[in-house]
Amino acid sequence: MKNYFDFSGYDWDAWSTFLQDHWLVLVIALVVLLFIIRVVKTFVKWALVLVIVVGIVAYSGYTLDDVKSIGTQAIDSLKQEAVSAMAGEVDKATFTSNSDGTFTVKTENLELTGVPGSGEVNVKFRGKSVGTMKIDSTIQALIDQAKANGKV
């Protein structure tokens, strides 16, 4: 039996995806719950609240693990798209050494920020943060080419 009420270890992306997929049902359930809490008294009230909450979780058809998996797949897809964009924009990349010891590599759609020697960069694709990525051969080639293109 799946534990539907184990909320530990879930991040905001998982909750956000769940809320976006089921917002209408959740709003209707919230209205019903507020009505029940105002009208119905004591034990019956809380029994009805519990039944509605369990019904919503069962109705969704997703466990929180499923929702988190969908969110992770979307982020991985966006990261892959960012890596693909790197290859097409390498000749326009610029390298900047920042005053705080970090560096920034910018292209038309991509921005990488990192600390030299850390092995990771923060990635923004089309202005949206897609998280951190390990510096692999593709990313290192972009950094090297940006340095060769000249510092800004």
Side-chain angles (χ1 to χ4, degrees):
M1 181 173 174
K2 293 183 180 180
N3 185 357
Y4 290 101
F5 299 105
D6 181 14
F7 301 122
S8 63
Y10 294 103
D11 56 15
W12 173 245
D13 292 332
W15 285 105
S16 175
T17 302
F18 178 79
L19 293 174
Q20 288 172 358
D21 288 346
H22 301 288
W23 69 271
L24 182 61
V25 174
L26 294 173
V27 168
I28 291 170
L30 181 63
V31 169
V32 171
L33 285 175
L34 291 175
F35 176 77
I36 288 172
I37 289 172
R38 291 190 145 251
V39 174
V40 182
K41 301 292 180 198
T42 63
F43 176 75
V44 174
K45 170 175 42 177
W46 295 111
L48 287 172
V49 167
L50 182 63
V51 166
I52 290 172
V53 169
V54 169
I56 289 171
V57 170
Y59 164 78
S60 71
Y62 293 108
T63 64
L64 290 175
D65 287 331
D66 295 336
V67 173
K68 187 174 182 179
S69 169
I70 291 167
T72 301
Q73 289 173 356
I75 297 241
D76 289 343
S77 173
L78 189 57
K79 283 183 179 180
Q80 187 58 42
E81 190 175 337
V83 168
S84 297
M86 284 181 211
E89 298 179 353
V90 71
D91 57 333
K92 299 175 187 170
T94 59
F95 183 89
T96 307
S97 291
N98 302 320
S99 60
D100 61 356
T102 62
F103 67 88
T104 303
V105 174
K106 288 186 180 182
T107 66
E108 184 178 325
N109 292 309
L110 193 66
E111 180 178 324
L112 306 176
T113 306
V115 177
S118 71
E120 294 185 327
V121 289
N122 292 321
V123 180
K124 286 186 180 180
F125 183 61
R126 295 184 180 151
K128 305 284 185 198
S129 178
V130 295
T132 58
M133 294 178 72
K134 298 230 181 268
I135 296 178
D136 61 6
S137 60
T138 306
I139 294 173
Q140 188 61 52
L142 178 66
I143 294 169
D144 294 341
Q145 183 62 45
K147 285 179 182 178
N149 290 347
K151 293 185 178 185
V152 173

